[in-house]
Amino acid sequence: MAESPRRPAIIVAASEIMLKGGNRPRYERLLARNIADAVSGRGAKVYRRQARIIVELGGSEDAEELALRISRIPGVRWVRIGYLI
């Protein structure tokens, strides 16, 4: 059985956003957009999945440098480097 290729990714958790009126999805979308702006031009794909924001790297990016850049965005609680399978 062939091993599936692992793709590098950065997993981002948002800070706790305590809002009334169901506004959390809106603020998560704004955070995802800010992250996408921070990694634009790098071939990365940004999307939300299960209360996390995933930054799927194209392969040639420096994951550590991008993770540091993302960690400085207001609203980011933590950042981890991992792999998607």
Side-chain angles (χ1 to χ4, degrees):
M1 177 184 258
E3 191 174 314
S4 63
R6 298 183 334 162
R7 299 172 311 217
I10 299 172
I11 299 98
V12 182
S15 294
E16 234 2 86
I17 302 171
M18 303 301 261
L19 300 168
K20 292 183 179 180
N23 291 321
R24 184 181 175 106
R26 177 177 178 245
Y27 285 97
E28 286 178 348
R29 282 192 305 274
L30 288 171
L31 179 58
R33 186 180 312 145
N34 289 340
I35 291 170
D37 289 345
V39 300
S40 68
R42 307 273 183 133
K45 178 180 170 187
V46 179
Y47 53 92
R48 295 183 306 138
R49 178 171 288 164
Q50 297 177 347
R52 299 287 184 254
I53 297 170
I54 309 297
V55 181
E56 191 174 334
L57 305 177
S60 62
E61 299 85 6
D62 181 20
E64 290 183 24
E65 187 268 326
L66 285 179
L68 180 61
R69 180 182 290 208
I70 292 168
S71 72
R72 294 179 176 153
I73 297 173
V76 171
R77 183 173 191 170
W78 55 257
V79 176
R80 302 289 185 267
I81 299 171
Y83 294 93
L84 300 172
I85 52 172

